[in-house]
Amino acid sequence: MKSLGKTLKDSRELISLTLRQVEEATGISNAYLSQLENDKIKKPSANVLYKLASLYNVELDSLLYAAGIIEQESPQKNKLLNTIALSAEKLTNDEEQALLDYLKYLRFSKK
Amino acid sequence: MKSLGKTLKDSRELISLTLRQVEEATGISNAYLSQLENDKIKKPSANVLYKLASLYNVELDSLLYAAGIIEQESPQKNKLLNTIALSAEKLTNDEEQALLDYLKYLRFSKK
DNA sequence: ACAAAAATCTAAATATATCAAGCAAAGATA
DNA sequence: TATCTTTGCTTGATATATTTAGATTTTTGT
């Protein structure tokens, strides 16, 4: 399994960017990028991984996989979503919150 | 936009776990979980977010979104539906009906 | 081949995440 | 009521991520 560092370095080189260009584009220091590419960092923030995935045009999942955070690259994406009755209409934030609270209430009052 | 802390707390309460149970299941200390839920932590590791998304049965994307890391969630999905569809505790017919009724009530009473 | 510039890397300093211990409030139990 | 648990939280200590500054290596122009 390819390490996170090698994955990042390969991805960067594929689009011919220097560490300083990546720093410019993401705000992540080139020094830190270097440490990432040399596997000195065990648990980078989601923030950093997402920025790099975006810039390098790779799936966040592939970085998470290389970092050993997830087991498989395409985990159980649940297609059940589409079958849920509520799916048609968009919810406002307030509606969503109200429904969540209500569901919580339903489940607690049952027990 | 709902904060990461509130998102995490809502998700945890939906499946009725205590902070200490989450600590047991994930290895993340209850003290830290509390700080996460109270928005004391700005950039948690991908590791932590992924563990919680898995345990709470929510999409990692929804946590990244709540944390302000990504701009928009995966289209045509919303957090409530994710929560319900992926939840370990399945939505019963009665619950679904109750939620539908309640949503109807919310929308009508607003106008 | 040599110098200058660009690129990567190291080390020390700083910022932030994460943990261990223990506190206070709310609940259960007797 | 008094006591024992459970629960979420705060604080101080530690580990780790991330930055700043600078050293070393690699590339480029002449």
Side-chain angles (χ1 to χ4, degrees):
Chain A
M1 165 166 149
K2 196 157 71 170
S3 75
L4 174 63
K6 183 147 183 46
T7 302
L8 288 173
K9 184 166 194 177
D10 287 349
S11 303
R12 175 174 62 85
E13 289 177 341
L14 257 184
I15 55 178
S16 298
L17 291 182
T18 74
L19 293 182
R20 281 190 163 75
Q21 288 174 318
V22 175
E23 167 173 346
E24 184 70 20
T26 62
I28 302 166
S29 74
N30 69 80
Y32 184 50
L33 292 167
S34 173
Q35 294 177 68
L36 279 171
E37 292 191 354
N38 289 289
D39 292 312
K40 304 281 174 59
I41 307 296
K42 294 169 194 168
K43 293 177 183 173
S45 71
N47 202 24
V48 161
L49 288 186
Y50 180 77
K51 279 182 183 171
L52 294 177
S54 297
L55 181 62
Y56 296 166
N57 290 306
V58 300
E59 294 279 337
L60 178 61
D61 272 5
S62 70
L63 297 188
L64 296 176
Y65 177 71
I69 291 170
I70 66 180
E71 297 301 327
Q72 306 182 7
E73 279 208 51
S74 299
Q76 69 291 353
K77 284 272 169 91
N78 199 317
K79 308 305 180 193
L80 256 168
L81 275 181
N82 301 327
T83 72
I84 294 294
L86 294 173
S87 64
E89 318 212 334
K90 287 198 177 141
L91 296 177
T92 71
N93 284 340
D94 286 351
E95 285 171 341
E96 180 178 346
Q97 188 60 54
L99 284 176
L100 275 174
D101 289 344
Y102 186 54
L103 178 57
K104 215 180 293 177
Y105 160 75
L106 278 180
R107 290 188 166 170
F108 276 122
S109 63
K110 218 185 310 177
K111 297 164 187 170
Chain B
M1 164 164 151
K2 193 159 74 172
S3 75
L4 175 62
K6 183 147 181 45
T7 302
L8 288 173
K9 185 167 191 176
D10 283 348
S11 302
R12 175 174 62 84
E13 289 177 339
L14 259 188
I15 56 177
S16 299
L17 291 182
T18 72
L19 294 181
R20 282 185 166 78
Q21 288 174 317
V22 175
E23 168 174 345
E24 183 70 20
T26 62
I28 303 165
S29 73
N30 70 81
Y32 185 51
L33 292 167
S34 174
Q35 295 177 65
L36 279 170
E37 291 189 356
N38 289 291
D39 292 312
K40 305 280 176 58
I41 307 295
K42 295 168 193 167
K43 294 178 183 172
S45 69
N47 203 22
V48 160
L49 288 187
Y50 180 77
K51 279 182 183 172
L52 293 177
S54 296
L55 181 62
Y56 295 166
N57 292 299
V58 300
E59 297 269 344
L60 179 60
D61 271 5
S62 70
L63 298 188
L64 296 176
Y65 176 72
I69 291 171
I70 66 180
E71 293 304 325
Q72 45 188 352
E73 284 190 82
S74 350
Q76 90 254 19
K77 291 182 188 172
N78 62 52
K79 282 164 286 184
L80 175 67
L81 288 179
N82 285 338
T83 301
I84 293 172
L86 299 175
S87 174
E89 303 188 17
K90 295 230 172 71
L91 201 60
T92 68
N93 286 340
D94 285 353
E95 283 173 339
E96 180 177 346
Q97 189 58 55
L99 284 177
L100 278 170
D101 289 347
Y102 187 54
L103 178 58
K104 219 178 294 176
Y105 159 75
L106 277 180
R107 289 189 163 164
F108 277 123
S109 63
K110 217 183 305 176
K111 297 162 188 173

